[in-house]
Amino acid sequence: PNAVRVSTIRAVSSCELLVLKRKDLMTLLDENPESRHLVEEYGEMLLSDSKANAQAVLQQEIKESLEFENTPA
């Protein structure tokens, strides 16, 4: 929950980086139920897409593994 996310990026032009703290986001969502609903809905969609993608990758890896095992030496 309190993990630090680290990424290396390079901008093509100058840019302004902003930080949204969890506390501030939660305050905003508490004050705006419609926004909360949209954020939660989007999060659920991302999670389900992620699970579906992970399952598809696993199925492909199993298929490739079985094909490799059945390849004549």
Side-chain angles (χ1 to χ4, degrees):
N2 291 326
V4 176
R5 296 179 69 179
V6 178
S7 296
T8 301
I9 59 170
R10 187 175 300 201
V12 176
S13 61
S14 62
C15 57
E16 181 179 3
L17 299 178
L18 305 173
V19 174
L20 176 61
K21 295 183 178 181
R22 184 180 195 282
K23 179 182 145 220
D24 296 332
L25 175 62
M26 299 312 287
T27 299
L28 175 78
L29 296 179
D30 286 342
E31 295 172 358
N32 299 281
E34 181 61 26
S35 295
R36 174 181 288 280
H37 175 74
L38 292 173
V39 168
E40 288 173 349
E41 207 171 70
Y42 184 69
E44 289 172 8
M45 182 187 68
L46 288 176
L47 286 174
S48 67
D49 284 353
S50 179
K51 288 178 186 175
N53 287 340
Q55 186 176 13
V57 167
L58 180 60
Q59 288 175 343
Q60 182 64 29
E61 288 177 357
I62 291 170
K63 179 182 174 189
E64 289 172 2
S65 174
L66 292 173
E67 289 171 355
F68 179 76
E69 289 176 7
N70 293 327
T71 303

